[in-house]
């Protein structure tokens, strides 16, 4: 006899509101629709939903304070990229027009997609091990945990980021591709938690969480540091 799983409809996880976390920011540099080099700034929720998107030509950043106003809206958020170097390099290109306090804050809170995916892989492995331990003592036949989607490897995500979606300009496409990767990663985690929580014997590991522990801790630390800086 195979142990039944709980209905997916009964296990809805809050997909966007995450107490104590403001979210992420994506930076990209490249040609705009006219072929002029520009910086794209995307503001994302904790689970990767876009909540603001701007393009500013690099040759105009020193002429007014538009970019400064935009970048202040990223306060308390984590920059995110495939590696740490890319968003930091873009930040350095525009640092001369930004308050040093803001530059330091953003530079100190950088996440990488590869690290986020690695944390999800760790938890899936731990949950599968817990199923194996339960199988050893259970009288019921326990099926392996089934994931709706597998965690992609480094190469798969790199392909996703280079295969830019349709956009009004190349730089917007770059920002959208990375935004898609963040949202995809958050969805992988939500799928992971739903699969776990359907197993009653895995519920002792805790209530479903919107993000993995380290990821959530990074976002909350960024928000907390920002709040302390304004006191």
């Amino acid at each position: 006899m195979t142990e039944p799983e709980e209905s997916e409809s009964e296990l809805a996880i809050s997909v966007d509101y995450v107490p104590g976390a403001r979210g992420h920011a994506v930076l990209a540099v490249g040609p705009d629709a006219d072929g002029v080099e520009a910086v794209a700034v995307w503001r994302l929720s904790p689970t990767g939903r876009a909540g603001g998107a701007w393009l500013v030509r690099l040759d105009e950043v020193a002429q007014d304070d538009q970019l400064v106003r935009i970048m202040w809206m990223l306060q308390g958020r984590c920059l995110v990229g495939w590696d740490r170097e890319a968003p930091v390099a873009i930040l350095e290109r525009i640092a001369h027009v930004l308050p040093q306090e803001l530059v330091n804050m953003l530079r100190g809170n950088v996440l990488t997609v590869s690290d986020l995916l690695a944390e999800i892989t760790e938890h899936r492995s731990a949950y599968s091990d817990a199923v194996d331990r339960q199988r050893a003592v259970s009288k019921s036949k326990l099926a392996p945990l089934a994931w709706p989607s597998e965690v992609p490897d480094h190469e798969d995500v790199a392909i996703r980021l280079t295969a830019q979606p349709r956009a009004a300009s190349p730089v917007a496409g770059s920002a959208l591709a990375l935004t898609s990767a963040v949202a995809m990663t958050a969805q992988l985690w939500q799928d992971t938690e739903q699969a776990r929580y359907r197993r009653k014997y895995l519920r002792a590991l805790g209530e479903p969480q919107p993000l993995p522990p380290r990821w959530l801790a990074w976002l909350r630390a960024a928000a907390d540091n920002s709040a302390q800086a304004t006191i």
Side-chain angles (χ1 to χ4, degrees):
M1 178 178 178
T2 301
E3 182 175 340
E5 295 186 352
E6 299 292 330
S7 169
E8 182 176 357
S9 63
E10 298 174 359
L11 304 173
I13 300 173
S14 176
V15 296
D16 206 38
Y17 174 66
V18 180
R22 295 185 186 176
H24 312 83
V26 165
L27 302 178
V29 166
D32 66 8
D34 297 321
V36 178
E37 194 171 34
V39 58
V41 182
W42 255 242
R43 187 178 62 186
L44 311 180
S45 74
T47 56
R49 293 186 180 182
W54 301 268
L55 291 180
V56 181
R57 291 184 173 184
L58 287 175
D59 60 5
E60 297 177 352
V61 297
Q63 299 174 13
D64 60 48
D65 62 353
Q66 179 190 16
L67 183 61
V68 177
R69 295 195 304 270
I70 293 169
M71 295 299 290
W72 271 119
M73 287 189 280
L74 308 185
Q75 188 177 14
R77 297 171 183 269
C78 289
L79 293 180
V80 61
W82 174 247
D83 54 38
R84 177 180 172 80
E85 289 72 22
V88 171
I90 295 172
L91 184 62
E92 294 300 329
R93 290 194 62 179
I94 58 177
H96 63 286
V97 300
L98 303 177
Q100 191 61 46
E101 171 193 4
L102 179 59
V103 173
N104 292 342
M105 190 177 299
L106 293 172
R107 188 192 293 121
N109 297 296
V110 180
L111 304 180
T112 69
V113 173
S114 55
D115 284 344
L116 304 182
L117 290 170
E119 185 175 10
I120 294 173
T121 299
E122 290 174 16
H123 281 270
R124 286 191 174 189
S125 178
Y127 297 163
S128 294
D129 289 345
V131 172
D132 290 340
R133 291 193 296 271
Q134 182 68 20
R135 183 181 292 117
V137 298
S138 177
K139 296 180 180 179
S140 301
K141 183 179 180 181
L142 302 182
L145 284 170
W147 314 116
S149 299
E150 294 300 320
V151 177
D153 59 22
H154 182 108
E155 183 178 354
D156 289 338
V157 177
I159 292 173
R160 174 186 285 269
L161 294 182
T162 55
Q164 299 176 2
R166 286 188 176 184
S169 64
V171 67
S174 296
L176 284 170
L178 186 50
T179 296
S180 175
V182 176
M184 175 269 296
T185 304
Q187 185 61 53
L188 283 170
W189 173 253
Q190 290 160 16
D191 291 344
T192 300
E193 284 291 77
Q194 287 181 344
R196 171 184 71 84
Y197 207 69
R198 292 190 198 108
R199 307 289 181 101
K200 290 183 178 179
Y201 54 88
L202 294 182
R203 294 183 181 180
L205 299 176
E207 293 295 314
Q209 297 299 314
L211 293 172
R214 291 199 301 271
W215 186 352
L216 183 54
W218 286 323
L219 292 181
R220 284 176 170 164
D224 186 56
N225 291 341
S226 174
Q228 291 181 9
T230 58
I231 295 176

